[in-house]
Amino acid sequence: QVQLVESGGGLVQAGGSLRLSCASSGIAFNINTMGWYRQTPGKQRELVAAITRGGRTNYADSVKGRFAISRDNAKNAVYLQMNSLKPEDTAVYYCNAEVISILRETKATWGQGTQVTVSS
């Protein structure tokens, strides 16, 4: 079973930068798409950015040009570089991965979340 652990969240002023990391542990046959989602109180969790194993990326319109997602396939890790942060980026950020188990079962796996707070 694969577990995901996020790190790198914190408090930053508007215009600043943060880099989130998501490390995986455990045994899997493969990990396909990995991504970052975020959620604020009372709202649904929304996709921020995703990246396929081949490196194809997808971003929410609100973060295009400011955020960059990358991954290390050897480590099954994913990163999110966040620049020009805005107060509206404040949220809990969750790492997500499409994990293929050794039994070839597909499971959406989530991390525990990391808080990002952007002050104005």
Side-chain angles (χ1 to χ4, degrees):
Q1 185 174 355
V2 169
Q3 293 184 326
L4 304 175
V5 178
E6 302 99 333
S7 61
L11 173 64
V12 65
Q13 287 188 332
S17 299
L18 284 174
R19 177 178 168 86
L20 303 183
S21 298
C22 174
S24 66
S25 62
I27 299 173
F29 174 72
N30 208 348
I31 295 181
N32 289 339
T33 299
M34 301 184 78
W36 291 93
Y37 288 71
R38 66 187 181 188
Q39 188 170 25
T40 54
K43 292 189 176 182
Q44 286 190 328
R45 194 171 295 186
E46 63 175 3
L47 174 69
V48 176
I51 184 168
T52 67
R53 191 167 184 84
R56 185 178 303 173
T57 59
N58 180 38
Y59 294 93
D61 288 342
S62 59
V63 306
K64 284 180 180 177
R66 300 188 297 121
F67 291 9
I69 190 170
S70 60
R71 68 186 283 173
D72 184 332
N73 287 335
K75 297 180 179 179
N76 283 325
V78 64
Y79 310 95
L80 185 67
Q81 178 66 42
M82 304 185 294
N83 300 324
S84 302
L85 282 161
K86 304 175 181 180
E88 51 262 44
D89 294 318
T90 296
V92 178
Y93 284 70
Y94 295 91
C95 176
N96 171 269
E98 183 185 55
V99 177
I100 313 300
S101 74
I102 57 176
L103 299 179
R104 306 301 192 268
E105 296 171 332
T106 301
K107 179 181 179 182
T109 302
W110 295 90
Q112 83 286 353
T114 185
Q115 176 71 45
V116 171
T117 302
V118 184
S119 63
S120 58

